[in-house]
Amino acid sequence: MKYGFMAGCALSSSNPQQVGEIIAYLKKYYPDLAVIQGCCGKPTRMIGDEKLFQARFQTLTDQVNQAGIDELIVACQGCIKTMTLQNQFPTSSLWVKLAEIGLPQEMIGKASQSDVIFSVQDSCPTKEITEIHQAVRFLLEQLGYQVATNRLSGKNTLCCGMGGMCGVSNPPLAKEFATKRVNDFKTPHIVTYCSSCTAAMLMGGGKAWHLLDLMFGPVINQQATCASHPLNQPVLAWKNRYQTKKIVNNA
C-alpha cells in the first residue's frame, strides 16, 4: 500500500517543526509516503456553504488520487470526521497508526519521573471512534505520563468551545464554554490531540499541551508553563502555515 499523510489546517498553523518531525518519523516506516497540505473544507460546511464545501473536498480528493494514495493518515479529528462522511478514500488516524508502529525508542518512558497527572480532552468530531481514545492513552502511557479518568471523556466528551466555527462567529461564547470545559477536569494539566482544542483549553484558563508537544518536546512537570497558542494569534498562524508548506514541499 502507498500511504499519505495530512496534518490539517490547525496543526499546520500551530507547529511547523512538529509536522516535519512526524513526517520524518512516518517515512522510516513508509519510505514512499506522500504528503498533502490541504483543507478538507469542513469550515465551509459549518457555515452552511455546502456548494463551496463540495468543491473544496473534491480538490482534496483529486490530490489524493493524483498522488496514488491507498490510505491517508490524518492528524486532524475534524478532517477524519469529514473524510469518513464523504467516504471518497480510505483514511486512518495518526494516533492509531503511531500506537500500531510504536513511538521512537528514545521517547519510551521519558516522562516516567514526571509529577504531572494529565486529563485528556477528547475531540468531539471523533467522540464515537473508541480506538482513537485508546490509542492516545496508550501513547501517553508509553511516554510515561499518568492519566486521570474523567466522566466527560471518550464517547461522553464535550466540545472545547471551538466547534461549529463558534471561535470565529461568537468568541465570547467560545471562551465561556472553553472555561467551563477546563473546569470539568479533575486536574489542572490537560493534554489534547487537536490543535484547536489546545488553543481552547489555554483560552479557558487551563494548562494545556498537544500530544505532539509531549512527544517531541521536554518532559512536562508541575513547574512547566504554557506558551500562548498560535491559533489565538492569526498573523502567527498564517506565518506557520506558510512555513509548513515549505516543509511539506521539501519532504
Side-chain angles (χ1 to χ4, degrees):
M1 291 180 63
K2 181 174 181 180
Y3 288 93
F5 172 69
M6 180 171 152
C9 300
L11 183 57
S12 297
S13 301
S14 303
N15 199 314
Q17 181 181 347
Q18 289 178 352
V19 174
E21 288 171 322
I22 202 65
I23 289 171
Y25 185 59
L26 288 174
K27 281 197 167 186
K28 292 181 179 180
Y29 291 87
Y30 315 114
D32 62 343
L33 182 78
V35 183
I36 290 178
Q37 186 179 23
C39 177
C40 70
K42 181 182 177 181
T44 52
R45 171 171 274 177
M46 291 295 97
I47 63 174
D49 195 336
E50 184 66 18
K51 183 178 180 180
L52 182 56
F53 163 74
Q54 292 296 340
R56 290 191 173 176
F57 193 85
Q58 186 59 53
T59 298
L60 175 61
T61 301
D62 292 343
Q63 286 181 286
V64 171
N65 292 335
Q66 289 167 9
I69 294 170
D70 297 309
E71 183 176 311
L72 186 63
I73 301 170
V74 186
C76 173
Q77 315 318 300
C79 288
I80 290 176
K81 178 69 171 182
T82 301
M83 293 171 186
T84 301
L85 289 173
Q86 292 300 106
N87 195 29
Q88 295 297 308
F89 46 83
T91 61
S92 58
S93 163
L94 171 64
W95 318 113
V96 173
K97 193 64 67 177
L98 287 176
E100 291 174 354
I101 65 179
L103 294 177
Q105 190 58 42
E106 64 271 17
M107 292 185 186
I108 304 296
K110 63 179 277 189
S112 58
Q113 300 303 310
S114 172
D115 55 359
V116 165
I117 301 176
F118 275 109
S119 293
V120 179
Q121 162 60 17
D122 287 302
S123 302
C124 58
T126 52
K127 65 186 297 182
E128 300 298 330
I129 307 180
T130 303
E131 64 174 347
I132 294 180
H133 312 152
Q134 295 172 338
V136 167
R137 286 157 179 79
F138 174 77
L139 294 172
L140 287 167
E141 179 183 335
Q142 290 289 290
L143 289 168
Y145 285 105
Q146 300 179 69
V147 179
T149 300
N150 289 283
R151 182 176 64 86
L152 298 176
S153 64
K155 289 186 176 182
N156 297 318
T157 194
L158 298 178
C159 177
C160 67
M162 294 293 194
M165 300 301 292
C166 187
V168 176
S169 61
N170 194 336
L173 180 60
K175 184 172 183 178
E176 178 184 339
F177 205 89
T179 303
K180 177 185 182 303
R181 190 72 185 112
V182 167
N183 292 333
D184 285 337
F185 295 118
K186 297 178 181 178
T187 72
H189 296 83
I190 304 166
V191 62
T192 82
Y193 44 99
C194 165
S195 292
S196 294
C197 285
T198 311
M201 296 299 93
L202 290 170
M203 181 176 65
K207 298 179 179 180
W209 289 264
H210 192 283
L211 181 53
L212 292 181
D213 295 328
L214 306 191
M215 289 172 54
F216 295 110
V219 173
I220 305 301
N221 52 43
Q222 290 286 348
Q223 289 72 42
T225 57
C226 308
S228 59
H229 199 278
L231 289 184
N232 294 328
Q233 305 172 68
V235 174
L236 178 57
W238 278 106
K239 179 181 177 181
N240 282 345
R241 196 175 297 188
Y242 177 71
Q243 292 298 321
T244 300
K245 181 178 180 179
K246 292 168 61 176
I247 290 172
V248 168
N249 286 341
N250 294 324

